[in-house]
Amino acid sequence: MTKIVIIGGVAGGASAAARARRLSETAEIIVLERGEFVSFANCGLPYHISGEIEARDALLLQTPESFRHRFNVDVRVFNEVIAIDKHKKEVTVRRVLTGEIYQESYDKLLLSPGASPVKPPIPGINSHYVFSLRNIPDMDQILSSLLLNQPQHATVVGGGFIGLEMVEALHHRGIKVTLLELSDQVMAPVDREMANMLHQELVEKGVDLRLNTGLAAVTELEIQPAEPEATGEYDKQIEHTNTLELMLSTGEMLKTGLVVLAIGVKPETMLANQAGIELGARGGIKVDARMCTSDPDIFAVGDVVETEDFVTALPSLVPLAGPANRQGRIAADNMLGRREIYRRTQGTSICKLFDMAIGSTGLNEKTLKRLKLPYEKIYVHTASHASYYPGAHPVTLKLLFNPTDGEILGAQAAGLDGVDKRIDVLAVAQRARMSVYTLQDLELTYAPPFGSARDVVNQAGMVASNILKGDEAVCHSEELLLGASDQIVLDVRNPPELEASGTFPDAINIPLDQLRQRLHELPKDKEILVACQVGLRGHVACRMLIQHGFKARNLTGGFKTYQMVTTKF
């Protein structure tokens, strides 16, 4: 009989425990969890704070009792593992409520301790008005503070998944929100021009967005009763209900009633490190494809481990529930004698922000540049479903691919509707090692309420394939900003569009329908960078110009992408 001890629950540990029991009725399975909850939906925490998920119990996926009854698993909450002796094959456990220490032996050990929120060492950071959100007790503390202190203003530090979801949750509760982000964009998995769509959404919803701004210090203020009907400037309206004064990295001061830290997470590797288990280059536990650590009887899964990136095979830290769940299942198989492997991590993810969604899979352009990998990129802006059917909304898709063989390197999409299914299709295509040539041939569902005869994904594949076949050469918005003397910019939109949307600097305007008759107005000794609103008419114009002896490239994504690239927040 195999004795399996699992440290930590939630996505990785809980899925491993359930899988292990399904594989073996005779195995002894023990889950040691230092907190009160062994299996909960931590991705749903912000939505309970907002009130969108009304019942707190809806977040509890399994309890110790349900695990015992359904899976015959010995789940011990409030039992913290404080040491691992890999030579004796036992762990030292402390009962949190009593302080009692005991040892527990194992045949196979699974580490699923997760990751802990990053807490910068700045003055005042331990104020009881400063919170992180990682588990149900964290959520309960935030809700308690909101109820007791009734803040009119809150500050979220960090613009990742949790940060953006908390901004929306607090806004949903009628609280004014400032978002501090140290970098020049929110949502690091996507590139800055795509993130600009989120920036616009935040600003339009009244969020005080401050990019390139961090938190430097926290000071608690003396709490004064709120005035029943405060009037005047915004700061004066909220100053009597604020409990904190924040010093920002810019030197500015900000009064607020509550702070949520969402700067990121770091793997909880202390136990593994003390036990002599090898760590990886990124600071997580190093595992092989079987989820096995440097000790053959110790496995690790979830936010604590490093896995190979799908494209580069380089070590990566990807704290997402989906990979953790799959890793738990694979580890259970291998602890019980099977041989299953984890096939790398794509980092496929999506985030809802107010009315918008933004998703990504694979590598972004920033990473490709940093690794000096060859790539090409294209942008497609088209409707989520047939534009003539009510309710169609624009979807913006960025596709990154190898310029030699068309390998899909990554994709990002944003919009009000249909973002999830496009990123899901591209994630499957990438995992199946399809190229951009295959994307144009995908047969996807079509009816006017759901899609188009030529889906966003098909269109992206066609544009990318045109480039690889030599049917079109593209340029990018950054090039238009250079103003090279051997180039001219040709805008083929109609004049009313220029007045409504804006113009490119120093561009010549010849509408597409007039271009064939006005070719004589263009120089043949300069390269022509052709632009339109989203890139479709530009492609037609380029094909025309090239066949008449001109050297031309089309601006991928057109003026819409140019605005995304050049807008500053």
Side-chain angles (χ1 to χ4, degrees):
M1 181 178 73
T2 303
K3 182 178 180 181
I4 297 173
V5 173
I6 299 172
I7 301 175
V10 197
S15 66
R19 174 65 172 173
R21 176 57 71 220
R22 291 195 297 272
L23 293 178
S24 172
E25 268 296 305
T26 60
E28 181 182 359
I29 306 170
I30 301 171
V31 178
L32 301 170
E33 170 58 53
R34 66 186 172 191
E36 181 182 356
F37 305 97
V38 66
S39 180
F40 61 91
N42 51 3
C43 295
L45 301 178
Y47 301 106
H48 181 58
I49 291 174
S50 70
E52 293 166 279
I53 297 176
E54 295 183 8
R56 179 178 179 273
D57 287 350
L59 301 175
L60 304 179
L61 305 179
Q62 292 283 355
T63 65
E65 293 76 20
S66 67
F67 252 117
R68 184 175 66 253
H69 294 318
R70 177 166 297 181
F71 297 109
N72 189 26
V73 171
D74 180 7
V75 176
R76 305 175 191 174
V77 295
F78 294 124
N79 277 250
E80 180 181 14
V81 176
I82 57 177
I84 300 169
D85 190 326
K86 61 182 183 179
H87 303 292
K88 292 183 178 180
K89 296 184 70 171
E90 68 178 22
V91 295
T92 301
V93 189
R94 181 176 68 89
R95 299 188 195 276
V96 174
L97 300 181
T98 66
E100 176 190 353
I101 304 294
Y102 68 96
Q103 274 71 42
E104 191 71 57
S105 64
Y106 65 84
D107 295 317
K108 301 292 182 181
L109 180 66
L110 177 64
L111 306 181
S112 180
S116 57
V118 173
K119 197 172 186 180
I122 62 176
I125 198 66
N126 292 319
S127 166
H128 58 282
Y129 297 109
V130 177
F131 303 92
S132 295
L133 183 61
R134 187 69 180 168
N135 51 40
I136 286 182
D138 292 341
M139 178 189 74
D140 290 342
Q141 290 177 19
I142 292 173
L143 285 169
S144 177
S145 182
L146 292 173
L147 180 64
L148 292 174
N149 301 312
Q150 297 289 314
Q152 295 182 18
H153 182 272
T155 300
V156 175
V157 185
F161 292 98
I162 295 296
L164 292 177
E165 289 164 359
M166 278 305 302
V167 166
E168 181 177 358
L170 294 164
H171 184 277
H172 194 78
R173 294 178 67 101
I175 300 170
K176 292 186 178 293
V177 185
T178 292
L179 174 58
L180 307 179
E181 171 52 57
L182 192 57
S183 77
D184 64 351
Q185 68 163 89
V186 301
M187 193 52 64
V190 304
D191 293 310
R192 189 180 186 280
E193 76 278 12
M194 297 296 290
N196 263 345
M197 300 179 71
L198 297 179
H199 301 158
Q200 184 68 40
E201 180 76 0
L202 288 163
V203 171
E204 288 180 356
K205 289 296 189 293
V207 175
D208 176 22
L209 173 63
R210 306 197 188 190
L211 300 174
N212 301 298
T213 305
L215 180 61
V218 179
T219 304
E220 288 194 18
L221 300 173
E222 182 179 347
I223 302 175
Q224 300 177 13
E227 294 179 356
E229 303 221 359
T231 57
E233 297 298 322
Y234 172 69
D235 285 342
K236 293 180 181 178
Q237 292 181 38
I238 65 172
E239 66 182 357
H240 295 295
T241 58
N242 289 326
T243 52
L244 300 173
E245 184 173 58
L246 309 181
M247 177 182 289
L248 310 183
S249 60
T250 58
E252 298 171 281
M253 305 300 291
L254 174 68
K255 290 184 173 66
T256 193
L258 176 143
V259 172
V260 177
L261 297 176
I263 301 171
V265 295
K266 57 182 178 182
E268 294 228 24
T269 57
M270 185 178 68
L271 269 178
N273 192 35
Q274 290 175 348
I277 294 170
E278 186 179 355
L279 302 184
R282 302 292 305 276
I285 297 175
K286 186 176 182 179
V287 293
D288 63 16
R290 298 171 56 247
M291 307 313 300
C292 188
T293 70
S294 55
D295 185 293
D297 294 316
I298 300 178
F299 293 74
V301 298
D303 297 355
V304 76
V305 302
E306 293 183 6
T307 56
E308 290 184 347
D309 175 77
F310 185 81
V311 175
T312 66
L314 295 172
S316 62
L317 287 169
V318 184
L320 293 172
N325 192 290
R326 296 195 300 277
Q327 291 161 13
R329 177 185 173 91
I330 290 167
D333 280 15
N334 292 319
M335 286 190 291
L336 288 167
R338 295 193 175 193
R339 186 163 184 85
E340 298 290 339
I341 61 171
Y342 181 72
R343 292 174 172 82
R344 302 186 181 179
T345 300
Q346 293 169 270
T348 307
S349 59
I350 192 166
C351 182
K352 172 184 175 293
L353 179 66
F354 299 114
D355 299 325
M356 275 193 65
I358 190 163
S360 65
T361 192
L363 299 181
N364 56 34
E365 187 177 359
K366 294 172 292 190
T367 302
L368 292 167
K369 282 182 176 178
R370 177 172 55 82
L371 297 176
K372 298 180 180 179
L373 296 176
Y375 72 93
E376 184 56 275
K377 62 180 178 180
I378 58 101
Y379 299 85
V380 172
H381 308 280
T382 190
S384 56
H385 60 248
S387 58
Y388 56 81
Y389 187 88
H393 299 288
V395 173
T396 291
L397 175 65
K398 178 178 183 178
L399 181 64
L400 298 150
F401 57 97
N402 187 307
T404 302
D405 59 10
E407 175 193 4
I408 300 168
L409 302 176
Q412 301 158 37
L416 303 182
D417 180 50
V419 169
D420 53 344
K421 74 174 183 178
R422 272 71 189 211
I423 289 297
D424 284 343
V425 168
L426 287 164
V428 172
Q430 184 184 51
R431 183 159 289 275
R433 302 291 183 181
M434 296 179 183
S435 71
V436 297
Y437 293 113
T438 313
L439 295 183
Q440 62 185 341
D441 297 326
L442 292 180
E443 190 170 328
L444 305 174
T445 57
Y446 165 58
F450 303 105
S452 300
R454 180 188 294 179
D455 189 78
V456 182
V457 173
N458 297 135
Q459 191 166 328
M462 291 173 184
V463 174
S465 298
N466 282 340
I467 295 170
L468 295 177
K469 293 174 183 175
D471 291 339
E472 178 177 88
V474 294
C475 62
H476 301 290
S477 298
E478 298 83 355
E479 296 179 69
L480 268 65
L481 300 172
L482 297 176
S485 59
D486 59 345
Q487 296 174 333
I488 64 167
V489 178
L490 171 64
D491 190 339
V492 297
R493 294 177 294 167
N494 296 320
E497 292 180 81
L498 276 60
E499 296 177 12
S501 301
T503 60
F504 298 99
D506 302 318
I508 297 171
N509 177 226
I510 302 177
L512 176 61
D513 293 342
Q514 302 175 19
L515 182 58
R516 190 171 283 101
Q517 290 73 41
R518 297 175 62 181
L519 291 174
H520 63 277
E521 299 178 27
L522 299 173
K524 285 198 172 180
D525 61 342
K526 292 187 177 184
E527 183 181 42
I528 302 173
L529 305 183
V530 184
C532 63
Q533 188 63 24
V534 296
L536 295 177
R537 284 171 289 176
H539 171 68
V540 176
C542 266
R543 294 300 304 156
M544 183 191 306
L545 290 168
I546 290 169
Q547 293 177 76
H548 282 85
F550 294 91
K551 183 179 179 182
R553 288 189 288 155
N554 184 27
L555 175 63
T556 177
F559 188 74
K560 187 167 183 178
T561 297
Y562 178 81
Q563 284 183 307
M564 291 163 54
V565 170
T566 58
T567 299
K568 305 296 182 184
F569 286 88

